[in-house]
Amino acid sequence: MQGTLQLQWADPPRAQPGRTQAQPHLDAWLDMGPGRRVALDVTQAQRAAGDLYALANRRVAVSYDTRATVAASSKVMAASGALPVISAIVPTDRLPQRALAMGADGRVMASAPVLGATRWVTLMCKFADIATEQKPRSFFQDQYGNAPGQLGHYWSEVSYGQINLAGSSAHGWYTLPKPRASYLADVNGRQKAQLSELFSDCAAAADADVDFAGIQGVNLMFNGELDGSAWGGGACTTLDGTYTCTRVTWSPPWSFANLAPLAHEMGHGYGLPHSNNSDGDSDTYDNPWDVMSDAWRNATTDATYGLLPKHPNMYQRERLGWLPASRKRVVAADNRETQEFVLDAGSVLKTANTQLVVLALPAQPDPYKTVIYTLEARRRTGTYEANLAGDAVIIHRLVDYGIAYSVDRDTPAANFSSNEGSMLKVGGRWNTPDELHWVEVVSATAQGFVVRVGPRQRSMSSPAPVLERPTQVASSSPATPRPSAPTPAARPQSVRRRGCDVLPSLLRLAPVCAWLER
């Protein structure tokens, strides 16, 4: 089947003190046209696509297969209740050149670059039974501005000028045709907002006023709660008389009142997945270094726009084509040389130095499962990064088809990776678990750090030879000698002998012994 791949992430609000953080949720759909939409099993889709997130909002072909234990006959399948399994998801649009082969790090870069003008339209919609209008149209229009603390400035900064929001505009408030409860459905025992219906009704209400031609995304603002979450990703509906698929976000008041969660949802619209930390729990919102994980902690504040977004991690920015190739350094898995270089912080807009280091590990048969580690520098500076936990080199492990996990050197790992263990500071050392790469932060610079990377720890130490002590072996029984080279008997220890002990037993007479003892 062919259609447009839609990924939709649900993000609950920040948990109140003493309460458990609600879990995120991801839906995947194949949209084949008006009224023709098929839900995709997310786990199967991730395995079949390799990099599912790179295919968000793109035309794809989905291939199904049946389990090996089920006969191919449709009658047999129907009788046994067998379900088809997704075997492959591939793009049908033009692939970027870099997706034609594996990179130096052993991974396939299948994402399509997001470049140039990405015009978004904000639609403000009221439920038929809720009259409140929390913010005026001017508030949403100004969110797209290019001054520090506004979305236009933010996305230009994190993309190094590769994208902009030129021409973005806000419209509303429009009244939806139904009350809030009509847009909720019971799905597997929980209320779930009907996102496609909300998008269609809101767009239809605004259609007479808004020019949707050439848009790259729609931010939907609602004056009431949805299903407990804000959403971001993609959807399709009729705009200006044409069935159109585009990036979409769905924001309740607690989300659009702060720029940080709104930027998080727009990140999903651009195809960015969640990030995480390495504590092993099910909470994805525990990496305060990344707007695509914890948008709330360590964020700066603006009097008008609330909490401001931090930067996303460097690997995700590079995937979208925002990082110049000259600022990326790949250390091969078979590296045998020590390299020392300046690693500038990701917030530095113009630099000739490195901003992303990829530590490659041995390539796997499935390149999407090849594990890599990345290094990036973060400094407490600027409009968006000033409240970070510290100035340090941050390490990420890329697994789970492209999810970035911040590495914590503490044992056990902290619940939130704003601890010292998540920061590699001057004098700090770290190695990949297989010890293929050893990393040391040598010194700080005005914009980052001097970093040294080598194949093993000794390459990071002083030139003096390593002191090695001989191995001492204690055993209750003698070791078995090798047949080809018998071990010589151990020489008895020398004991100082005195008096009659030096004479043969026959000569040990009393007068002689008395003379010797004098």
Side-chain angles (χ1 to χ4, degrees):
M1 298 189 297
Q2 295 190 29
T4 300
L5 178 66
Q6 299 174 355
L7 300 179
Q8 297 169 348
W9 283 266
D11 293 294
R14 181 181 181 178
Q16 296 300 315
R19 296 188 179 184
T20 303
Q21 175 66 57
Q23 296 303 303
H25 183 74
L26 174 60
D27 287 341
W29 301 87
L30 182 67
D31 193 293
M32 297 174 288
R36 301 173 59 212
R37 200 166 64 123
V38 177
L40 303 178
D41 181 281
V42 172
T43 301
Q44 293 179 18
Q46 289 172 326
R47 184 171 55 248
D51 190 343
L52 183 69
Y53 318 114
L55 302 179
N57 304 311
R58 294 171 64 183
R59 293 282 301 177
V60 299
V62 180
S63 175
Y64 287 87
D65 202 350
T66 56
R67 301 185 188 277
T69 56
V70 179
S73 169
S74 59
K75 292 183 179 180
V76 174
M77 288 176 60
S80 63
L83 296 175
V85 176
I86 301 173
S87 59
I89 301 179
V90 297
T92 59
D93 57 7
R94 183 182 297 274
L95 286 172
Q97 183 65 31
R98 62 183 178 178
L100 301 180
M102 287 189 297
D105 57 9
R107 296 171 64 91
V108 172
M109 297 298 290
S111 57
V114 177
L115 307 172
T118 57
R119 184 169 75 93
W120 287 73
V121 169
T122 290
L123 302 181
M124 304 129 61
C125 288
K126 302 187 296 183
F127 293 106
D129 58 339
I130 303 177
T132 307
E133 298 177 2
Q134 287 85 356
K135 300 287 184 180
R137 175 179 174 272
S138 59
F139 171 84
F140 297 103
Q141 181 64 56
D142 291 345
Q143 284 183 324
Y144 289 123
N146 292 312
Q150 296 175 319
L151 287 172
H153 181 272
Y154 171 78
W155 286 112
S156 178
E157 177 169 306
V158 301
S159 70
Y160 305 109
Q162 297 296 316
I163 66 171
N164 62 75
L165 304 186
S168 298
S169 57
H171 308 270
W173 292 85
Y174 302 103
T175 301
L176 296 169
K178 303 175 187 177
R180 173 182 172 270
S182 297
Y183 292 101
L184 297 174
D186 186 82
V187 179
N188 297 324
R190 60 184 289 266
Q191 281 194 327
K192 187 171 182 298
Q194 300 304 286
L195 303 182
S196 291
E197 190 174 358
L198 284 166
F199 182 27
S200 296
D201 284 357
C202 191
D207 192 61
D209 298 336
V210 182
D211 178 10
F212 292 104
I215 64 164
Q216 294 292 309
V218 177
N219 284 317
L220 301 172
M221 310 298 175
F222 298 96
N223 71 334
E225 185 60 80
L226 300 178
D227 53 12
S229 294
W231 290 78
C236 306
T237 195
T238 299
L239 302 175
D240 289 340
T242 303
Y243 193 73
T244 304
C245 297
T246 187
R247 305 176 178 99
V248 185
T249 71
W250 297 259
S251 293
W254 59 262
S255 178
F256 64 64
N258 294 280
L259 216 61
L262 177 56
H264 179 108
E265 302 310 330
M266 291 179 70
H268 287 320
Y270 287 126
L272 296 179
H274 282 136
S275 300
N276 208 326
N277 75 350
S278 53
D279 62 2
D281 64 19
S282 59
D283 182 9
T284 192
Y285 307 107
D286 44 16
N287 177 2
W289 298 99
D290 196 330
V291 69
M292 297 312 297
S293 176
D294 186 353
W296 303 95
R297 296 178 181 85
N298 298 111
T300 57
T301 304
D302 181 86
T304 303
Y305 302 110
L307 294 178
L308 299 182
K310 301 179 289 284
H311 286 197
N313 70 72
M314 292 300 301
Y315 177 79
Q316 299 297 356
R317 286 193 263 188
E318 196 266 340
R319 285 177 73 245
L320 295 182
W322 297 346
L323 182 71
S326 60
R327 302 188 201 174
K328 176 183 176 182
R329 179 186 295 258
V330 177
V331 181
D334 59 355
N335 173 58
R336 292 296 179 266
E337 297 181 355
T338 299
Q339 306 178 32
E340 188 171 297
F341 48 86
V342 176
L343 181 65
D344 274 352
S347 54
V348 178
L349 302 184
K350 296 181 179 180
T351 179
N353 295 319
T354 300
Q355 289 182 295
L356 171 64
V357 179
V358 174
L359 305 178
L361 299 185
Q364 302 299 311
D366 180 352
Y368 294 106
K369 293 184 178 180
T370 298
V371 177
I372 64 172
Y373 286 85
T374 65
L375 308 176
E376 63 181 82
R378 303 294 284 272
R379 300 298 297 267
R380 290 170 293 183
T381 184
T383 303
Y384 310 104
E385 301 276 89
N387 280 355
L388 294 178
D391 301 334
V393 172
I394 307 303
I395 307 164
H396 286 95
R397 181 173 184 255
L398 272 297
V399 289
D400 291 346
Y401 305 101
I403 301 298
Y405 292 79
S406 63
V407 172
D408 187 348
R409 294 173 296 148
D410 288 347
T411 303
N415 288 334
F416 302 101
S417 58
S418 56
N419 59 318
E420 289 294 321
S422 70
M423 296 182 274
L424 199 62
K425 297 183 177 180
V426 174
R429 294 177 178 176
W430 173 84
N431 61 276
T432 55
D434 53 15
E435 298 192 355
L436 285 178
H437 304 288
W438 285 79
V439 178
E440 179 183 14
V441 179
V442 180
S443 60
T445 68
Q447 300 185 135
F449 300 90
V450 175
V451 177
R452 189 179 296 156
V453 177
R456 58 185 181 276
Q457 185 177 12
R458 189 176 299 179
S459 68
M460 243 69 72
S461 62
S462 65
V466 176
L467 177 63
E468 296 183 0
R469 298 187 179 186
T471 303
Q472 297 180 357
V473 179
S475 176
S476 58
S477 59
T480 304
R482 297 180 181 178
S484 58
T487 303
R491 181 180 296 177
Q493 292 182 339
S494 175
V495 179
R496 185 179 179 183
R497 303 171 72 185
R498 300 181 60 191
C500 282
D501 291 341
V502 302
L503 298 176
S505 58
L506 294 177
L507 298 180
R508 295 177 185 175
L509 301 176
V512 177
C513 291
W515 182 81
L516 291 174
E517 292 293 338
R518 286 186 301 174

